[in-house]
Amino acid sequence: MVVPELRPWRAAKPRLARVANVVRPRLARVTAVTGPRVTRLARAAKPQVTRVATAKTWQYTTGAATVGLALAAVVVTAVGPWDSSGQRTAEREWAAAQEGGGGADHGSRSGTSDAAGGAPQPAPSAASVLTGLGGAANTIKSAPTGQALTGVLNPLLNDPALGARRAAAVVDVTTGKHLYGTGTHDALTPASTTKIATAVAALSALGPDHRLTTRTVYEPDTEELILVGGGDPTLTARKGSRGLADLRTLARKTAAALKQRDVRQMTLSYDTTLYAGLERHPIGVNDNLAPVTALMADEARTDGSTSGPAPRVTDPAAEATRTFADFLRDHGIRTTSPGPSKATDRADALATVSSPPLSALVERMLTNSDNDIAEALARHTAVATGERADFAGAGRAMQAQLNKLGLPLKGAVLRDGSGLNRDNRLTVDLITALLLKAADPARPALRPTLTGLPVAGFTGTLSDRYGDGAAGIVRAKTGTLTGVNALAGTVVNQDGRLLAFAFLATGTTDPTAAQTALDRAATALAACGCR
């Protein structure tokens, strides 16, 4: 019988082949390390296996499984121990020992230091997808030289497709050394690479474990049930919440609490006062962003999508509360048509649901370039730091957080968290400094800024790019507005060095050509030893 090859498998074969070529040298090294131990264990186990061979089938199976697990344990132990991120502890420590200095903190020379004296800490190795590929087993090669990188990048970045103004910076993550720069202090429109700044600011202000909570309260004096928005744009009304906070669960919990009070009919209101100011972004009505409000369900999408542009409801808070009323009705609770209100300190708490941790929200924001999450995180940064939770206050709060981290903010302007505002200004010097700060081993709370970056050829906004280039090796945040193209992230070069880069271009006329030019530059970094 001939089994037809499945279409998904056929489409995945080129990527799997590339992965196999990358993994094969590592398996060879593991075999060389563990071979003697495995041989000794096999000799010791041989008498037991011989005895098992005369036993019943189930006894043989049990014995074989035990020996197999023991062998696996030896292999894992031999190449370990492992840290919480899945990196070999010994390998990380050895790499750090090879580099006397380094790290994401670069002292007064770069203007990004926030350490109290002393040498910079060595930066950690990248996440698994960024591990140095194809390098020698026992050799860490030197970082690229600026002269060599200039020869590679200048012709690519001079592509007319990149418009009238462009800026670029490349930094070695391990040492913090600036390897390449052009227009590094020119503040240009960053488009969605703004989200890198939003991520670092929110994580530093709130912490990676912070959750956004939506709650219900009951005002006994007025017999009013209030749905209080917690600024969670991922709150869902759909079945199968997949770990998200969901209105169905909140309705069930709320109904149970009301029935304990023998309340089955009341006025229903909603409270969005966590945020202040205008809900509408300066770009106006746009499928890329819902009105920015503290209460919405499924990012106010009307087409069932979870990412990308989509039509949005005009009043997300009212729509979410009407949906909540329907769920309450399913549990025997009847309400009036909802309207806006504000919960008092006298209100009785009924029920809550909470979002995934902030680390997960940051990763989703970066991977999918989620504008709704970006604006929510900007406002939560304002709330956490005592600023007014509107567009202007969020911008001030984010810049204040970045300033606390000692980042180079000269020329920086933040008018929103998503990058949709064309008045935003960032330098490539700041963007690479943000990436280095996220790699700082002394600041693990910022790490989701790196782990959330789309993976070339595989995830998010880079899933359909780099098909013939550095797929799986480049991780970067994209940015696109009319006349603006940007790319910023990390890449492992052919010698296994982890580099941070930022490319900004303004005045572009063909977004596809500009995108291709930026991808070529990032691919050139991946292919370059450049010493």
Side-chain angles (χ1 to χ4, degrees):
M1 180 179 70
V2 177
V3 179
E5 186 178 38
L6 297 178
R7 238 180 267 172
W9 166 250
R10 190 160 56 245
K13 280 176 70 177
R15 293 181 182 176
L16 292 175
R18 291 197 298 272
V19 172
N21 290 332
V22 169
V23 171
R24 192 176 294 113
R26 298 186 184 182
L27 292 179
R29 293 197 294 271
V30 170
T31 301
V33 171
T34 62
R37 298 190 190 183
V38 173
T39 300
R40 289 196 298 271
L41 184 58
R43 287 173 182 167
K46 186 174 180 181
Q48 299 179 34
V49 174
T50 302
R51 289 196 298 271
V52 170
T54 61
K56 295 180 181 179
T57 301
W58 69 269
Q59 292 172 316
Y60 177 83
T61 302
T62 303
T66 302
V67 172
L69 289 172
L71 289 171
V74 169
V75 172
V76 172
T77 302
V79 298
W82 305 83
D83 65 18
S84 60
S85 67
Q87 178 186 9
R88 283 197 296 139
T89 304
E91 182 181 77
R92 171 167 49 78
E93 292 173 350
W94 180 83
Q98 295 298 308
E99 303 290 341
D105 187 306
H106 318 305
S108 59
R109 178 170 170 269
S110 71
T112 63
S113 176
D114 63 347
Q121 296 291 321
S125 298
S128 57
V129 74
L130 292 175
T131 303
L133 307 179
N138 297 308
T139 303
I140 294 181
K141 298 184 179 179
S142 60
T145 65
Q147 183 177 0
L149 274 180
T150 298
V152 170
L153 290 179
N154 272 1
L156 296 171
L157 294 175
N158 285 331
D159 189 325
L162 293 178
R165 298 185 67 190
R166 73 287 307 266
V170 180
V171 182
D172 186 294
V173 172
T174 303
T175 66
K177 182 179 179 181
H178 288 254
L179 304 175
Y180 176 86
T182 179
T184 55
H185 302 300
D186 295 343
L188 303 180
T189 303
S192 278
T193 58
T194 300
K195 294 182 177 75
I196 296 174
T198 303
V200 170
L203 287 166
S204 64
L206 298 159
D209 298 325
H210 182 78
R211 296 174 186 262
L212 313 181
T213 299
T214 306
R215 59 195 176 96
T216 52
V217 299
Y218 182 66
E219 297 280 3
D221 296 340
T222 59
E223 296 185 345
E224 181 184 14
L225 172 64
I226 303 178
L227 176 60
V228 182
D232 178 10
T234 67
L235 178 71
T236 183
R238 298 169 185 169
K239 291 183 178 179
S241 60
R242 308 176 310 282
L244 303 175
D246 73 281
L247 282 175
R248 295 171 185 269
T249 298
L250 186 60
R252 174 176 53 78
K253 291 180 176 181
T254 300
L258 288 170
K259 289 176 181 177
Q260 287 182 349
R261 290 169 170 75
D262 198 27
V263 175
R264 286 176 169 76
Q265 185 168 351
M266 78 291 297
T267 300
L268 177 61
S269 303
Y270 55 88
D271 182 347
T272 61
T273 59
L274 179 66
Y275 293 172
L278 298 174
E279 294 183 353
R280 187 67 66 186
H281 190 280
I283 61 172
V285 177
N286 192 293
D287 285 353
N288 286 293
L289 180 68
V292 182
T293 174
L295 178 61
M296 65 174 70
D298 301 299
E299 298 182 341
R301 296 171 181 269
T302 62
D303 62 358
S305 64
T306 57
S307 64
R312 315 300 180 105
V313 299
T314 56
D315 190 344
E319 181 66 22
T321 310
R322 284 191 289 268
T323 301
F324 181 66
D326 292 338
F327 295 152
L328 286 173
R329 191 176 302 111
D330 293 338
H331 293 281
I333 303 296
R334 301 182 64 83
T335 67
T336 62
S337 180
S341 185
K342 179 176 172 54
T344 69
D345 294 337
R346 300 185 304 278
D348 298 330
L350 294 180
T352 64
V353 289
S354 295
S355 72
L358 192 72
S359 57
L361 299 183
V362 164
E363 290 181 332
R364 174 172 164 177
M365 171 189 71
L366 293 168
T367 300
N368 297 329
S369 199
D370 193 305
N371 298 309
D372 299 282
I373 295 178
E375 296 302 343
L377 296 187
R379 273 171 167 67
H380 279 282
T381 303
V383 171
T385 57
E387 285 282 0
R388 179 176 164 85
D390 58 9
F391 284 107
R396 289 193 300 270
M398 289 193 295
Q399 289 199 225
Q401 286 301 121
L402 301 184
N403 187 57
K404 286 182 180 179
L405 293 172
L407 292 162
L409 293 175
K410 185 176 180 180
V413 177
L414 291 172
R415 302 296 190 204
D416 68 6
S418 62
L420 290 172
N421 194 317
R422 304 182 68 87
D423 291 334
N424 288 339
R425 295 290 184 271
L426 296 179
T427 65
V428 290
D429 186 36
L430 173 56
I431 295 173
T432 51
L434 287 162
L435 294 168
L436 293 177
K437 191 66 68 173
D440 187 343
R443 296 187 178 278
L446 303 182
R447 193 60 54 83
T449 306
L450 298 182
T451 57
L453 294 173
V455 181
F458 287 90
T459 64
T461 55
L462 288 185
S463 61
D464 59 352
R465 291 164 64 170
Y466 295 86
D468 298 323
I473 302 174
V474 171
R475 294 187 81 152
K477 182 71 200 74
T478 56
T480 306
L481 293 172
T482 302
V484 175
N485 289 84
L487 190 69
T490 58
V491 59
V492 175
N493 74 358
Q494 67 173 7
D495 290 336
R497 305 290 303 201
L498 180 62
L499 310 177
F501 68 91
F503 304 143
L504 300 180
T506 62
T508 59
T509 57
D510 183 338
T512 301
Q515 173 182 295
T516 300
L518 295 178
D519 289 350
R520 286 197 189 106
T523 298
L525 284 176
C528 182
C530 298
R531 292 188 307 279

